[in-house]
C-alpha cells in the first residue's frame, strides 16, 4: 500500500508563492507517474501538473510558467509562483502505479492541503 501526505498549503496574497510537498511511503510494483490535482468549491478535481516515470512533465494551461513540479526520491513538490485567487483550492497529491505486473494502474491520493489566495 501507498500513503501520501501533503504539506505546505496556507493563505497567501495574490502574487505570492507557496511550495507544496508530498511524502510518499509504502511500495508498489511500478509507478506510472506522480502529480498534483486540485479541487475548488463546486468544481471537479482537475490536473495541475504531473511528472511521469520517464521524467516528462505536463501542466495545466492555467499554471504553465507559474508552477513547477519536481520529484526527489519519495518526495513530490509543487512550487507555485505568482499565485492568483483562481488558484484557491484543495491540492491533492496523486501517485498512479501498479500493484503487480498484471494489475491495472491504480490511483493513490493524499488527504489534500488547502491553498487560499487572497486578492
Amino acid at each position: 500500500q501507498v500513503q501520501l501526505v501533503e504539506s505546505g498549503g496556507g493563505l497567501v496574497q495574490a502574487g505570492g508563492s507557496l511550495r507544496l510537498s508530498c511524502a510518499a511511503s509504502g511500495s508498489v510494483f511500478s509507478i506510472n507517474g506522480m502529480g498534483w490535482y486540485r479541487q475548488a468549491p463546486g468544481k471537479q478535481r482537475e490536473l495541475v501538473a504531473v511528472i511521469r516515470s520517464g521524467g516528462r512533465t505536463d501542466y495545466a494551461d492555467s499554471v504553465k510558467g507559474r508552477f513547477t513540479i519536481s520529484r526527489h526520491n519519495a518526495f513530490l513538490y509543487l512550487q507555485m509562483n505568482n499565485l492568483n485567487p483562481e488558484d484557491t483550492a484543495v491540492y491533492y497529491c496523486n501517485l498512479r502505479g501498479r500493484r503487480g505486473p498484471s494489475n491495472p494502474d491504480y490511483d493513490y491520493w493524499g488527504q489534500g492541503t488547502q491553498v487560499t489566495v487572497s486578492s
Side-chain angles (χ1 to χ4, degrees):
Q1 287 295 328
V2 171
Q3 288 189 328
L4 304 172
V5 179
E6 304 100 332
S7 60
L11 173 64
V12 64
Q13 288 188 333
S17 298
L18 283 174
R19 187 191 194 209
L20 304 183
S21 299
C22 173
S25 61
S27 64
V28 289
F29 175 76
S30 63
I31 297 175
N32 185 312
M34 293 186 72
W36 291 95
Y37 289 70
R38 67 185 181 187
Q39 188 166 17
K43 295 187 177 180
Q44 290 189 333
R45 190 172 297 188
E46 64 175 0
L47 174 68
V48 176
V50 62
I51 183 165
R52 307 191 190 281
S53 59
R56 172 184 165 181
T57 57
D58 289 305
Y59 296 89
D61 288 342
S62 60
V63 306
K64 283 181 181 177
R66 300 188 297 122
F67 290 12
T68 303
I69 189 171
S70 61
R71 177 185 170 189
H72 180 68
N73 294 332
F75 292 87
L76 185 71
Y77 304 99
L78 185 68
Q79 178 65 44
M80 306 185 293
N81 297 328
N82 194 21
L83 286 159
N84 59 62
E86 289 71 38
D87 295 317
T88 295
V90 178
Y91 285 70
Y92 296 91
C93 179
N94 167 267
L95 183 152
R96 179 168 293 176
R98 295 188 175 188
R99 297 169 175 169
S102 59
N103 291 94
D105 284 341
Y106 183 84
D107 283 313
Y108 298 89
W109 296 96
Q111 81 287 351
T113 185
Q114 177 71 46
V115 171
T116 303
V117 184
S118 63
S119 56

